[in-house]
Amino acid sequence: MDPAELAELDLSKASAARVYDYWLGGANNFAVDREVGDKIVNAVPGVPAAALANRSFLRRSVQWCLANGIDQFLDLGSGIPTVGNVHEVAQQGNPYARVAYVDSEPVAVAHSRNLLRENATTTILHADLRDVDEVCAAQEVEGLLDFDRPIALLTLLVLQYFPDTGHTAEIVRRYWEKLPPGSVHILSHVTDDEPAIDGGEAARLSQAMATPTYARTHAEVRTLLGDAPLVDPGLVFAQQWRPEASNFEPQHSCVYTAIARIGTE
């Protein structure tokens, strides 16, 4: 980051994006992030495995999109671009795939801009994802994505940062209204439904972060997707969503995942 940008960061509290980067083995985090990350892992040792399970779901869901003719991606709350991020997976399968990232975390945005400087089909927008009109009208989004063709909306481990389920569902619905027929919504969300990994305790410990986590039940996560039809196998734990026999998947995770069909031809 630019020294001036770094000086403006509030490092009194951990950042969810930087803690997640720490769990994935990234280097874009600070002592305050590692302290909170370690505290959560000490209480809930399965959390890093859940983070990796979510990352694996990201890869499989993006590959599913490419196999089904969707090569445009709008990633909300994209976080810090560690190895295996959306654009890497998508453009490995289709060099012309377009990816628009959106995040409000300064470190994530600064690192993304540096990383994507020479990538003409991937952009990063610094914005609050709750500002739906602003996000969709921004040059980084509207100038890159073709809203006449299907788009995959991604909200991976991000809707859990908004406490009011009804209001969060309304934000989701507003994005759906912006997207063309044939689009999909790729979602993952922390839950406390899995007794083997106490996602609820991890969420409670996250209150020390600038953006704390709110775990939701299966029914509450399904509410975020309304009555949209889901791609098989539906709303399931990350390791259960079309696992590949050749890849290691944890036995348990505290992350629900799904792909919803949000537009029909």
Side-chain angles (χ1 to χ4, degrees):
M1 294 184 64
D2 181 273
E5 292 179 310
L6 186 60
E8 293 178 0
L9 282 179
D10 178 8
L11 297 181
S12 63
K13 282 194 173 185
S15 153
R18 299 194 305 262
V19 170
Y20 185 64
D21 174 71
Y22 173 52
W23 286 337
L24 290 175
N28 295 282
N29 49 78
F30 301 98
V32 65
D33 308 305
R34 296 188 286 273
E35 181 180 351
V36 171
D38 287 341
K39 184 177 181 180
I40 293 174
V41 171
N42 288 337
V44 189
V47 164
L52 291 171
N54 179 71
R55 201 68 174 183
S56 184
F57 167 70
L58 178 159
R59 174 178 50 77
R60 297 195 305 276
S61 63
V62 169
Q63 290 173 340
W64 180 92
C65 287
L66 295 177
N68 286 273
I70 301 174
D71 60 2
Q72 301 188 107
F73 303 85
L74 176 57
D75 188 353
L76 305 179
S78 51
I80 294 171
T82 53
V83 174
N85 215 31
V86 174
H87 75 283
E88 292 184 329
V89 178
Q91 291 166 5
Q92 183 178 27
N94 179 352
Y96 301 102
R98 301 178 183 185
V99 181
Y101 292 121
V102 183
D103 208 288
S104 61
E105 159 60 54
V107 171
V109 173
H111 188 63
S112 297
R113 283 176 176 161
N114 183 61
L115 181 69
L116 302 172
R117 190 170 297 162
E118 298 181 4
N119 189 323
T121 55
T122 308
T123 61
I124 176 72
L125 170 67
H126 188 195
D128 187 330
L129 65 85
R130 292 170 294 187
D131 297 329
V132 181
D133 292 337
E134 176 186 332
V135 167
C136 292
Q139 177 62 26
E140 292 88 340
V141 175
E142 190 177 47
L144 177 71
L145 304 182
D146 180 356
F147 278 76
D148 291 325
R149 297 195 299 112
I151 294 171
L153 175 73
L154 294 91
T155 59
L156 299 178
L157 296 185
V158 65
L159 298 181
Q160 63 207 30
Y161 299 123
F162 306 122
D164 186 297
T165 299
H167 179 61
T168 305
E170 177 58 27
I171 294 173
V172 170
R173 224 70 70 231
R174 290 180 60 205
Y175 275 105
W176 288 9
E177 293 170 355
K178 301 282 188 180
L179 300 182
S183 297
V184 297
H185 180 183
I186 302 173
L187 170 145
S188 65
H189 197 295
V190 165
T191 182
D192 55 5
D193 287 350
E194 172 53 73
I197 302 178
D198 193 345
E201 177 62 14
R204 286 188 288 275
L205 291 171
S206 78
Q207 300 302 306
M209 295 192 295
T211 49
T213 298
Y214 299 90
R216 287 189 170 96
T217 65
H218 188 278
E220 289 170 332
V221 176
R222 188 63 178 93
T223 295
L224 298 178
L225 298 173
D227 58 359
L230 305 182
V231 173
D232 288 338
L235 180 61
V236 297
F237 288 115
Q239 74 277 9
Q240 297 171 345
W241 200 93
R242 302 193 177 200
E244 299 169 347
S246 60
N247 290 293
F248 169 78
E249 295 289 348
Q251 187 176 359
H252 303 282
S253 78
C254 55
V255 177
Y256 278 132
T257 57
I259 296 182
R261 298 183 185 274
I262 60 176
T264 56
E265 297 289 358

